[in-house]
Amino acid sequence: MTLAPPSSDTLPRQHPIGVFDSGVGGLSILKALRAELPFEDFVYVADSGFAPYGERDEGFVVERSRLIARHLLDHNHLPIKALVIACNTATAAAIHLLRQDHPALPIIGVEPALKPAIALSHTKRIGVMATRGTLNSRKFRTLLDSLAGQASFICQPCDGLADAIERRDTTKLIALCQEYTGAIGQFSTQTNDIDTLVLGCTHYPFAIEHIRKLVAPGVQIVDNGAPVARQTRRVLTQHANADHTGQITLCTTGDPALLAQAAARWLDLDTSVEKLTL
């Protein structure tokens, strides 16, 4: 069934923007959204009970994405006026279907920041850390093919890294960062070396302090939070009033304590978390 929300032109400005990810990683996108749109309300859903998406099959990710979109449109106290898919894997698998399901709803996805990386790179050798689901998706392959000849991309699937971040398993996180950056190759600003690294999963910016220690000084590390936030601002037809203090509602299908801890740590946000059964 197609669930068509009211046109965003008719929605009161206080209606929230929906944001979802397979877990806590999308908080990196939410952080950028709050900086770009400080007066907007947001409802964030972490599907941690079914994470990680990047190691699931495409049909499973599509099913979860559709279920969460319907929840945000039907079961929230106010219907969302836009949806941000704060997950590379879910964007690749489901964004075209969600846009078909909800043609009146502005839907913004994320993708690995390959184009910005090209602009930053001098050696034109660029590493990409992403989930296996993202790297194997048709959407990513199409993006990669569209940039043929502009740079050389060394793509590394990072099995287990998003899960280690999700579970705050620092020992495993550090070991996996060492393994995967080592597998990509030599990082430096010297000719023929990799001088730019793309973090192609929204979880990975939360490991950036460890990743930065593993690459040479001067190597650029790129994520997609700021571009997604700017695109969200562009597609909104109405914005909250500047005298409105933006509110955040956090929900999870996993352990509420884990999401609350992550929000406090990374967003300096002290709020309760709603437990969802989806």
Side-chain angles (χ1 to χ4, degrees), residues 4-270:
S7 166
S8 58
D9 289 326
T10 64
L11 284 174
R13 294 183 180 184
Q14 69 269 22
H15 279 242
I17 298 167
V19 184
F20 83 89
D21 179 43
S22 64
V24 303
L27 293 176
S28 65
I29 301 294
L30 182 59
K31 183 176 182 178
L33 287 165
R34 291 181 74 202
E36 185 74 21
L37 297 160
F39 308 115
E40 297 288 353
D41 292 342
F42 294 93
V43 178
Y44 181 87
V45 175
D47 199 18
S48 298
F50 299 87
Y53 283 177
E55 296 165 37
R56 300 278 197 170
D57 66 75
E58 185 173 298
F60 179 89
V61 176
V62 168
E63 179 184 3
R64 295 303 302 171
S65 298
R66 281 177 153 162
L67 190 62
I68 292 166
R70 287 196 297 268
H71 170 80
L72 287 168
L73 286 164
D74 266 8
H75 300 288
N76 199 45
H77 65 291
L78 290 173
I80 58 172
K81 62 182 179 183
L83 176 64
V84 178
I85 307 174
C87 174
N88 290 271
T89 301
T91 296
I95 192 170
H96 61 295
L97 297 172
L98 293 181
R99 285 172 172 162
Q100 290 174 13
D101 292 346
H102 312 290
L105 181 70
I107 300 178
I108 302 92
V110 299
E111 65 180 18
L114 304 191
K115 295 176 184 178
I118 291 173
L120 289 170
S121 177
H122 295 289
T123 68
K124 301 306 177 188
R125 287 180 54 77
I126 297 167
V128 182
M129 295 174 65
T131 67
R132 194 171 294 275
T134 293
L135 295 180
N136 289 341
S137 69
R138 290 185 297 273
K139 186 175 178 64
F140 179 78
R141 301 310 306 180
T142 299
L143 173 63
L144 202 61
D145 290 344
S146 74
L147 302 173
Q150 297 185 44
S152 174
F153 294 97
I154 301 90
C155 299
Q156 176 61 44
C158 298
D159 298 339
L161 182 54
D163 189 56
I165 294 168
E166 188 82 17
R167 299 177 184 279
R168 297 185 64 183
D169 186 341
T170 304
T171 300
K172 185 176 181 181
L173 184 159
I174 292 172
L176 290 175
C177 286
Q178 290 174 333
E179 176 183 347
Y180 296 138
T181 55
I184 290 171
Q186 181 67 38
F187 287 91
S188 84
T189 57
Q190 300 299 312
T191 304
N192 297 325
D193 284 348
I194 300 161
D195 72 346
T196 306
L197 177 61
V198 175
L199 303 183
C201 171
T202 55
H203 281 73
Y204 299 172
F206 295 127
I208 196 167
E209 63 180 290
H210 303 293
I211 294 171
R212 197 171 292 283
K213 294 175 184 177
L214 298 168
V215 300
V219 169
Q220 302 273 1
I221 301 178
V222 186
D223 65 56
N224 49 17
V228 170
R230 290 192 295 269
Q231 177 63 8
T232 303
R233 172 180 278 280
R234 283 193 291 267
V235 303
L236 288 179
T237 58
Q238 287 193 331
H239 295 277
N241 292 323
D243 59 355
H244 173 73
T245 301
Q247 302 296 312
I248 309 293
T249 301
L250 299 177
C251 313
T252 184
T253 58
D255 183 351
L258 288 180
L259 181 56
Q261 291 165 9
R265 181 181 182 187
W266 292 322
L267 274 67
D268 195 25
L269 186 64
D270 182 14

